Amino acid sequence: MFIKYAFLCFLGLTAGILIAAGTVAFITIVGVLTRLAIRTDTAKRILLYEDIVVVGATFGNILELFRLPIPVGTVGLMIIGLFIGCFIGCLAVALEEVIQIFPIMTHRLKLKMGIPIIVLFLALGKGLGAFFQLFIHYKK
């Protein structure tokens, strides 16, 4: 029985490490870090950015694995949520830049005007959907 649990622990730990490594690799390949470094004129600190992402992923995995409570209160939760939202927004924009969906979409739909409005409503829809999912899910 001990061997079975030891194997399951090993399998879960290695799977978590692989998922975390894949997430960090995805963020790096998509180019979120390089785009942020270029836009903020801090390209010489790209290694620091990469180290911070790895430490953040590791810290997030530890918090998720052990379910450690962090007593930050409502204001702290709002600040953390703001930072997480900014990161997800940067990731989405970088992913969009990589796949270049909007030029293809506008060409196929023959759109000449209204593209900023479409982008605005896509962002609002994503934000409102996440907001409602968060509050509907956690109210139950």
Side-chain angles (χ1 to χ4, degrees):
M1 195 64 142
F2 174 75
I3 294 174
K4 180 180 177 182
Y5 287 126
F7 177 71
L8 287 174
C9 288
F10 176 74
L11 186 67
L13 184 64
T14 54
I17 290 171
L18 287 174
I19 294 298
T23 303
V24 172
F26 175 72
I27 290 168
T28 305
I29 288 172
V30 168
V32 173
L33 300 177
T34 53
R35 282 180 179 32
L36 286 175
I38 290 170
R39 304 239 186 219
T40 59
D41 293 328
T42 56
K44 59 186 172 196
R45 295 191 176 132
I46 190 72
L47 293 176
L48 176 65
Y49 288 160
E50 291 173 356
D51 291 341
I52 289 171
V53 168
V54 169
V55 168
T58 304
F59 185 65
N61 280 334
I62 290 170
L63 288 177
E64 182 67 28
L65 181 64
F66 295 111
R67 299 288 181 178
L68 299 174
I70 303 175
V72 293
T74 305
V75 174
L77 187 61
M78 290 168 60
I79 292 170
I80 291 170
L82 177 68
F83 284 126
I84 291 172
C86 289
F87 174 76
I88 297 297
C90 289
L91 182 65
V93 168
L95 184 61
E96 186 276 325
E97 284 183 11
V98 169
I99 60 175
Q100 294 295 319
I101 188 79
F102 285 109
I104 296 168
M105 181 184 73
T106 56
H107 177 70
R108 291 192 182 193
L109 296 176
K110 297 177 177 55
L111 291 176
K112 301 290 183 203
M113 52 197 280
I115 296 171
I117 295 171
I118 292 172
V119 173
L120 173 68
F121 280 108
L122 284 172
L124 286 175
K126 180 70 176 165
L128 287 173
F131 180 78
F132 286 127
Q133 180 185 10
L134 176 74
F135 285 107
I136 290 172
H137 177 70
Y138 286 111
K139 291 287 184 185
K140 291 181 180 180

